Amino acid sequence: MAMVDQLREWKVVCSETIEDALRAVPRHVFVPDVPLEKAYGFDPVVTHRDAEGIAISSVSAPGVVGGMLEQLNIRPGCRVLEIGAGTGYNAALLAHLVGFTGAVTTVEYDAAVTQSAREALTKAGYGDVTVVCGDGAFGWADNAPYDRIIVTAGAWDIPPAWWDQLADGGLLLVPLRMRGLTRTVALERDGAILRSRSVKECGFIPMRGVCAVAEQNVWVGGRDGDLLLRVDDGQPIDAEAVGGALDHPGTVVWTGVPFAMPEILDFWLAGMDGFCRVLASRDAAQNGRLVAPMFFWGSMGVFDGGSVAYLTTNADMSELGVCAYGPDGRELANRVAGRIREWDSVGGPRMKVRVEVHQIDAASSSDGWLVIDKKHSRVVVRTVPTA
Ligand SMILES: C[S@@+](CC[C@H](N)C(=O)[O-])C[C@H]1O[C@@H](n2cnc3c(N)ncnc32)[C@H](O)[C@@H]1O
């Protein structure tokens, strides 16, 4: 199958067991309404949208599915809980991997999606998967404890049920949002602490239900203005003050630090108060109303009072710079540039991210680079040098 050959070549899939599962489970059965080349293509396939046309369910891209299965380290006989059944495709792969001695339970929020997942699983020969309609934030206690819990929707928090239903030494794999940055984090349970074994970049449909927490959108330059700040984790922001930042001339500070795909820099800057993601209008940049950001769809940024700074690059994308607007724009740009130089001096892109999660009531550790208190958990992020 070309899809699997390619995933092997890209080294997204390295284990023979996962390769076998991807070859065995017929992906097209789970997305019956699209042509075969789309079912076996490399993009996610959206299957359900809400009344406003926003995607609420999909089958994830095969690269994401294969990569997550690699992170999950499943063995025959494992008891697995999946949150977000979607089409049922991933549940079928899980069932293949755990074999006859294991068990898979999958929970889906949407009743219509649950029904189609159940039907597709039966049609594909995986009718022994338990498919439940409910809010996955509560897990599924009836079949607990689980050796593995895999969440296939974006989560902002780790609710108590996932702790309670995960066996000690078990793995929880979750696309976790931290200051607006989502990563699939494989967390191993060690008593009262979850410690990351692997962390990968990703993007996911957000979780609905009791654990749904939206980011705050703050416009600069009025509604539908030229900049939109996405602010996570309830950080306090003076929307009125920062909304006028573009009334001040912009300033750019060059860092002398080479441009690199900034996976780790994201987290390094996320440790600054006021970290946010900045979305910018292309039209405004093309017409000289603002300096083009590093990425129009979301560059790292920092706000402080009535000022905002965001990352930019020079024309040949060889150097990182910081652009800022607002009454204290120059000072803020210098502060952010200083952090970037500091990042470069301690290892830059050669660093790795480690994540530790504590239950909020019992949390003691706060010595990370970035400590985020959620409703149920404290997330501690550290950047460490690669070995
Ligand atoms: C990316 S899709 C999952 C893909 C799926 N694993 C597959 O193989 O097709 C995310 C799913 O999570 C579901 N979801 C969102 N919030 C949920 C919640 N609180 N509990 C259970 N499912 C949820 C959505 O309805 C959607 O079907």
Side-chain angles (χ1 to χ4, degrees):
M1 192 192 295
M3 179 188 89
V4 185
D5 294 342
Q6 190 62 72
L7 294 180
R8 279 292 268 197
E9 204 180 310
W10 286 336
K11 297 199 171 20
V12 171
V13 168
C14 303
S15 326
E16 260 170 47
T17 49
I18 295 172
E19 177 180 347
D20 289 348
L22 288 165
R23 290 193 194 282
V25 175
R27 189 168 154 98
H28 63 279
V29 171
F30 297 88
V31 277
D33 299 330
V34 302
L36 280 181
E37 47 296 3
K38 216 169 165 203
Y40 290 94
F42 294 101
D43 293 325
V45 180
V46 174
T47 53
H48 295 77
R49 293 184 185 274
D50 68 11
E52 273 127 50
I54 295 172
I56 53 167
S57 191
S58 65
V59 63
S60 300
V64 172
V65 174
M68 284 182 83
L69 291 176
E70 289 285 351
Q71 281 184 280
L72 200 58
N73 188 24
I74 294 206
R75 306 228 168 77
C78 271
R79 300 177 64 78
V80 184
L81 171 67
E82 181 191 41
I83 311 293
T87 60
Y89 174 63
N90 192 52
L93 292 167
L94 295 169
H96 187 95
L97 288 165
V98 301
F100 295 113
T101 53
V104 176
T105 303
T106 184
V107 184
E108 170 55 48
Y109 189 78
D110 186 289
V113 175
T114 309
Q115 187 52 26
S116 30
R118 204 174 272 134
E119 284 165 14
L121 280 160
T122 304
K123 193 169 174 197
Y126 297 96
D128 52 347
V129 171
T130 306
V131 185
V132 188
C133 185
D135 188 336
F138 300 105
W140 189 251
D142 291 9
N143 295 342
Y146 301 100
D147 305 301
R148 304 284 184 269
I149 298 179
I150 172 170
V151 184
T152 61
W156 177 77
D157 200 358
I158 309 288
W162 298 353
W163 292 86
D164 297 345
Q165 294 173 22
L166 182 66
D168 202 22
L171 271 188
L172 164 65
L173 178 60
V174 54
L176 185 62
R177 205 175 84 216
M178 299 160 276
R179 287 283 192 274
L181 309 170
T182 303
R183 299 290 187 271
T184 49
V185 188
L187 294 157
E188 186 175 321
R189 180 166 180 181
D190 177 4
I193 301 178
L194 297 168
R195 287 198 177 85
S196 68
R197 291 282 164 256
S198 59
V199 180
K200 287 188 184 174
E201 262 200 298
C202 66
F204 267 88
I205 285 176
M207 263 184 94
R208 289 179 279 166
V210 294
C211 270
V213 174
E215 285 177 275
Q216 195 184 347
N217 287 330
V218 177
W219 289 99
V220 181
R223 181 141 187 98
D224 298 326
D226 288 337
L227 292 177
L228 172 63
L229 313 190
R230 289 255 160 90
V231 183
D232 197 16
D233 297 317
Q235 295 178 89
I237 179 165
D238 185 340
E240 201 181 320
V242 81
L246 289 172
D247 299 339
H248 300 257
T251 182
V252 178
V253 173
W254 294 102
T255 60
V257 174
F259 175 86
M261 281 313 280
E263 242 190 283
I264 309 302
L265 178 59
D266 287 0
F267 279 99
W268 187 257
L269 292 179
M272 296 182 78
D273 287 340
F275 177 83
C276 61
R277 286 178 306 127
V278 179
L279 284 69
S281 135
R282 265 178 205 282
D283 173 68
Q286 275 155 8
N287 291 307
R289 291 203 300 282
L290 50 78
V291 173
M294 188 155 102
F295 304 120
F296 283 94
W297 41 265
S299 290
M300 290 161 279
V302 177
F303 62 85
D304 189 358
S307 302
V308 60
Y310 56 82
L311 265 56
T312 184
T313 58
N314 56 353
D316 65 358
M317 294 188 81
S318 58
E319 184 180 354
L320 289 170
V322 183
C323 171
Y325 294 89
D328 303 311
R330 175 152 288 277
E331 186 277 324
L332 184 58
N334 276 321
R335 203 163 4 122
V336 177
R339 288 288 177 133
I340 294 173
R341 292 190 196 102
E342 196 185 343
W343 166 76
D344 189 51
S345 71
V346 296
R350 294 182 305 285
M351 309 278 280
K352 265 193 169 172
V353 170
R354 292 270 155 77
V355 178
E356 216 173 82
V357 186
H358 303 245
Q359 283 181 303
I360 194 76
D361 303 336
S364 54
S365 177
S366 58
D367 62 340
W369 174 254
L370 170 61
V371 178
I372 311 168
D373 281 349
K374 312 264 182 182
K375 184 170 176 212
H376 299 292
S377 53
R378 169 171 291 176
V379 177
V380 180
V381 183
R382 298 188 179 90
T383 46
V384 294
T386 48

